[in-house]
C-alpha cells in the first residue's frame, strides 16, 4: 500500500514540475527578448518634484555638510531631477516592442532586437546591462534607437524597479565610461507607492551620489 501511495505522489510531483517548467518557458517565449520586463511602467522621477521631498533634500544637505559638501536644497533637488530625467513619462513593453509615451501621447514605438549584455561599473559595483537596438526603419533615426536596461530588482525591502538608458550613438556611450555614470532613470509600476518610497530614502546613502 505504501509503495502505491509513494508512486502516486511521485507522479503528482513530477507532473507539477513539468507544468511549472512549461509555464515558465511559455512566459519567456511570449515575452521574447523582453521576457523579464513585460508590462507598463512609469518614470519615478516625478517624485523629485513633490513638496514632500523637501524634507528629504534638507536632510541630504545636512549630511552633505558633514562630508564637506556645500550644496543647497535647490542644488540637491536639481541634481536628483537630472539623475532620473528622460524624454518620456512612461513606457509599455509588449513582446519585442517598446512604446514610449509623453503622458498620454505616444512619442515613439519601436520593435527591438537583442544585442547581448554590456558590462559596466558604478563605484565598487559591477553591473551588466541588457542592450537592444531598434529593428524597424523608423527606429534607426530615433533617439531611442539603442536602449539598455538592468533586470528588475529591489533594494533591501524596497519596491521593484529597473533602470533604463537610451540614445542614438551606440550602447557603450551609455555606460559610465561613456560619461553616463550618473544617469539612472528608474522605471516602476503604475501602482508605485510614493509615500513608502519617500519614507524609505536614506539621506546618508543619497549624499554619496552628490558630486
Amino acid at each position: 500500500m505504501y509503495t502505491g501511495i509513494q508512486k502516486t505522489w511521485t507522479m503528482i510531483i513530477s507532473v507539477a514540475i513539468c507544468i511549472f517548467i512549461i509555464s515558465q518557458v511559455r512566459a519567456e517565449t511570449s515575452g521574447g527578448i523582453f521576457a523579464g520586463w513585460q508590462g507598463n511602467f512609469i518614470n519615478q522621477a516625478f517624485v523629485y518634484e513633490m513638496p514632500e521631498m523637501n524634507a528629504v533634500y534638507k536632510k541630504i544637505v545636512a549630511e552633505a555638510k558633514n562630508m564637506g559638501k556645500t550644496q543647497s536644497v535647490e542644488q540637491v533637488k536639481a541634481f536628483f531631477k537630472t539623475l532620473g530625467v528622460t524624454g518620456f513619462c512612461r513606457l509599455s513593453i509588449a513582446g519585442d516592442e517598446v512604446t514610449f509615451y509623453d503622458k498620454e501621447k505616444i512619442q515613439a514605438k519601436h520593435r527591438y532586437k537583442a544585442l547581448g549584455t554590456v558590462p559596466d561599473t558604478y563605484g565598487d559595483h559591477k553591473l551588466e546591462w541588457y542592450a537592444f537596438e531598434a529593428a524597424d526603419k523608423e527606429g534607426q533615426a530615433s533617439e531611442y534607437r539603442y536602449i539598455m536596461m538592468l533586470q528588475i530588482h529591489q533594494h533591501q525591502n524596497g519596491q521593484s524597479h529597473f533602470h533604463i538608458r537610451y540614445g542614438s550613438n551606440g550602447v557603450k556611450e551609455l555606460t559610465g565610461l561613456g560619461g553616463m555614470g550618473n544617469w539612472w532613470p528608474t522605471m516602476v509600476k503604475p501602482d508605485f507607492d510614493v509615500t513608502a518610497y519617500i519614507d524609505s530614502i536614506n539621506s546618508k546613502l543619497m549624499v554619496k551620489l552628490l558630486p
Side-chain angles (χ1 to χ4, degrees), residues 1-15:
M1 179 66 69
Y2 176 76
T3 302
I5 294 174
Q6 188 177 43
K7 288 182 178 180
T8 300
W9 275 108
T10 299
M11 184 178 295
I12 291 173
I13 293 172
S14 298
V15 171

Side-chain angles (χ1 to χ4, degrees), residues 116-170:
T117 57
V118 179
D120 199 5
T121 58
Y122 184 73
D124 296 328
H125 301 284
K126 292 184 178 180
L127 310 172
E128 188 175 62
W129 294 95
Y130 289 80
F132 309 89
E133 181 181 4
D136 53 82
K137 184 178 179 180
E138 295 78 8
Q140 296 298 300
S142 171
E143 63 177 317
Y144 305 116
R145 177 176 178 176
Y146 298 98
I147 60 175
M148 299 200 314
M149 304 191 295
L150 294 182
Q151 290 182 327
I152 294 178
H153 59 282
Q154 295 172 280
H155 298 301
Q156 298 177 346
N157 296 321
Q159 301 175 72
S160 297
H161 64 278
F162 70 91
H163 302 289
I164 185 172
R165 292 176 184 170
Y166 62 89
S168 58
N169 296 321

Side-chain angles (χ1 to χ4, degrees), residues 8-183:
T8 300
W9 275 108
T10 299
M11 184 178 295
I12 291 173
I13 293 172
S14 298
V15 171
I17 291 174
C18 287
I19 291 174
F20 173 77
I21 292 174
I22 291 172
S23 66
Q24 291 298 103
V25 170
R26 285 177 177 172
E28 292 180 3
T29 302
S30 64
I33 60 173
F34 294 121
W37 298 274
Q38 295 289 293
N40 299 310
F41 302 90
I42 58 176
N43 187 348
Q44 178 188 284
F46 74 92
V47 175
Y48 302 135
E49 294 277 10
M50 298 180 66
E52 293 86 343
M53 281 294 296
N54 289 333
V56 176
Y57 295 139
K58 290 178 181 178
K59 289 181 180 180
I60 294 175
V61 167
E63 291 292 342
K65 287 183 178 180
N66 294 332
M67 298 179 64
K69 299 181 178 182
T70 59
Q71 284 92 343
S72 66
V73 169
E74 286 304 314
Q75 287 175 322
V76 170
K77 180 178 179 179
F79 173 77
F80 278 93
K81 286 171 59 179
T82 302
L83 197 69
V85 66
T86 57
F88 60 90
C89 294
R90 62 187 181 92
L91 57 77
S92 176
I93 303 176
D96 61 356
E97 290 186 330
V98 180
T99 305
F100 302 88
Y101 295 86
D102 179 3
K103 295 184 179 179
E104 297 302 321
K105 184 180 179 182
I106 294 179
Q107 275 192 345
K109 182 177 183 179
H110 302 305
R111 179 172 51 84
Y112 286 85
K113 62 182 179 181
L115 297 179
T117 57
V118 179
D120 199 5
T121 58
Y122 184 73
D124 296 328
H125 301 284
K126 292 184 178 180
L127 310 172
E128 188 175 62
W129 294 95
Y130 289 80
F132 309 89
E133 181 181 4
D136 53 82
K137 184 178 179 180
E138 295 78 8
Q140 296 298 300
S142 171
E143 63 177 317
Y144 305 116
R145 177 176 178 176
Y146 298 98
I147 60 175
M148 299 200 314
M149 304 191 295
L150 294 182
Q151 290 182 327
I152 294 178
H153 59 282
Q154 295 172 280
H155 298 301
Q156 298 177 346
N157 296 321
Q159 301 175 72
S160 297
H161 64 278
F162 70 91
H163 302 289
I164 185 172
R165 292 176 184 170
Y166 62 89
S168 58
N169 296 321
V171 294
K172 290 186 178 180
E173 283 73 12
L174 299 174
T175 65
L177 290 176
M180 298 296 181
N182 276 331
W183 189 33

